[in-house]
Amino acid sequence: MDHAGINHEFLDGVIAGTEVDAYYHLGVTSADELVQGLRGLRAVILGGSGPRMDDFARLWSAEHDDAPIVAFPKEERFVIRYTAGVLFASHGMGMPSASIALQELMRLAYFVTDGDPDALDRIFWARVGTSGGVGLPAGTVVVSTEGVMADLEPYRLLDGAGGYHWFDGHFPLEVVDAILAANSACGFPMASGRTVAANDFFVEQFRLDGAIRLATVDDKMSWLHRIHAAGVRNIEMEGAMLAAYLNTWGFSRFAMVCTTLLDRLDGDQVTSTPEQLHEYGERAGRAIFAYLRTIL
Ligand code: URA
């Protein structure tokens, strides 16, 4: 793990005990007993929806002799559960929300491993979610190889010196292959490819059914064909930031697995029934559980 991007200036003081870290949006601090109980952390599974993370924690606990489930006290922002070595956390929708959850969870992971690079690198990170497919039927589970923004460029943020910091949005390919291999008999379609993380569900995904519409039908179809030709297989709202931040710390094992709810080449509206949507949401979870069982 190349930890050049870790904020040692702040985080090492927390480990030394000269600072207490308030994980404000998670509702805990590094001085809390609950946080001390996370020292066996081996994986962090993130997803947009709180109830889905709660369901996943119950399933993982049931698979592990009904291991106790620890619920984080604050649920206004994110729903977080810890059981049998795995932290399940919701991150809300979009990169601004998910980046807050991820940064606080990375700080927490640093603290509970005492900043030991080997222990940190044993933690597997994944986002499990839903997405719009590009040239794939609804219900396909896509394992991302790279997260890019809607302009096909990597995630970037203002760097404080008048320019942009450009991040690396690649996901480790050996993990992509291992997830596909762990699911070779899963019974639903799977694919791998690049993923666009858009800043909006409507405008930046070139939908024509938003309250605000900037694109024409031709703009939309030419964008969809352009991203498909560039290897993009699905569109969601977090992946470019997720890979960017985890690469910045040098983690070697992380992934994003998202089920498609529709094929954007065929339309904009999500018209699946609640039962279909539930099944699609479950598929990405089943795919990541199959991989988790091979590493934990
Ligand atoms: N999530 C998205 O961001 N886009 C879709 O089309 C479906 C789910």
Side-chain angles (χ1 to χ4, degrees):
M1 182 169 182
D2 166 15
H3 28 81
I6 296 177
N7 179 5
H8 289 285
E9 223 173 311
F10 172 62
L11 295 172
D12 290 349
V14 180
I15 289 174
T18 52
E19 306 243 23
V20 171
D21 197 357
Y23 311 106
Y24 164 66
H25 300 86
L26 313 184
V28 291
T29 79
S30 55
D32 291 350
E33 214 166 291
L34 182 153
V35 170
Q36 299 298 334
L38 305 179
R39 292 203 176 266
L41 181 66
R42 296 292 310 282
V44 180
I45 306 301
L46 297 147
S49 138
R52 194 182 303 144
M53 293 302 106
D54 185 60
D55 285 349
F56 285 171
R58 286 170 200 274
L59 290 169
W60 190 250
S61 160
E63 272 194 28
H64 293 82
D65 302 321
D66 291 323
I69 301 176
V70 177
F72 277 42
K74 175 169 168 173
E75 301 208 337
E76 272 162 68
R77 302 295 184 191
F78 306 120
V79 173
I80 307 178
R81 306 280 183 264
Y82 176 74
T83 185
V86 183
L87 195 91
F88 296 90
S90 67
H91 58 58
M93 281 187 281
M95 290 183 270
S97 171
S99 68
I100 296 168
L102 182 58
Q103 290 225 27
E104 293 194 2
L105 289 168
M106 288 165 73
R107 276 157 47 188
L108 189 137
Y110 191 82
F111 178 71
V112 300
T113 55
D114 284 327
D116 171 43
D118 294 332
L120 254 184
D121 203 30
R122 275 197 292 277
I123 299 174
F124 168 68
W125 299 78
R127 174 176 126 71
V128 175
T130 54
S131 59
V134 188
L136 294 173
T140 305
V141 172
V142 180
V143 188
S144 301
T145 56
E146 184 186 0
V148 291
M149 307 289 288
D151 58 3
L152 293 176
E153 297 290 341
Y155 186 67
R156 64 272 189 183
L157 291 172
L158 288 174
D159 64 8
Y164 279 97
H165 182 82
W166 292 77
F167 291 86
D168 173 7
H170 288 88
F171 287 86
L173 292 184
E174 42 308 344
V175 178
V176 174
D177 290 342
I179 293 172
L180 293 172
N183 287 282
S184 54
C186 64
F188 45 76
M190 289 190 73
S192 61
R194 298 171 90 197
T195 299
V196 161
N199 274 315
D200 175 43
F201 189 83
F202 296 99
V203 174
E204 254 207 4
Q205 298 190 23
F206 291 75
R207 278 188 155 82
L208 306 181
D209 62 344
I212 294 165
R213 170 178 166 171
L214 301 183
T216 64
V217 176
D218 284 351
D219 294 337
K220 168 180 128 172
M221 293 316 292
S222 76
W223 180 70
L224 287 169
H225 287 299
R226 187 160 62 85
I227 64 173
H228 185 262
V232 171
R233 292 296 172 265
N234 64 341
I235 306 164
E236 47 80 76
M237 297 180 64
E238 293 86 13
M241 177 282 302
L242 179 85
Y245 284 9
L246 295 172
N247 277 323
T248 301
W249 270 30
F251 284 106
S252 49
R253 283 192 310 179
F254 56 90
M256 185 166 75
V257 179
C258 294
T259 314
T260 61
L261 301 182
L262 74 166
D263 184 351
R264 286 297 313 286
L265 293 176
D266 295 337
D268 295 338
Q269 295 241 320
V270 178
T271 53
S272 314
T273 63
E275 293 73 28
Q276 283 172 320
L277 292 176
H278 181 75
E279 160 64 16
Y280 294 163
E282 294 278 291
R283 282 183 186 177
R286 290 213 291 275
I288 214 69
F289 271 36
Y291 172 71
L292 270 184
R293 287 185 203 110
T294 69
I295 59 163
L296 295 190

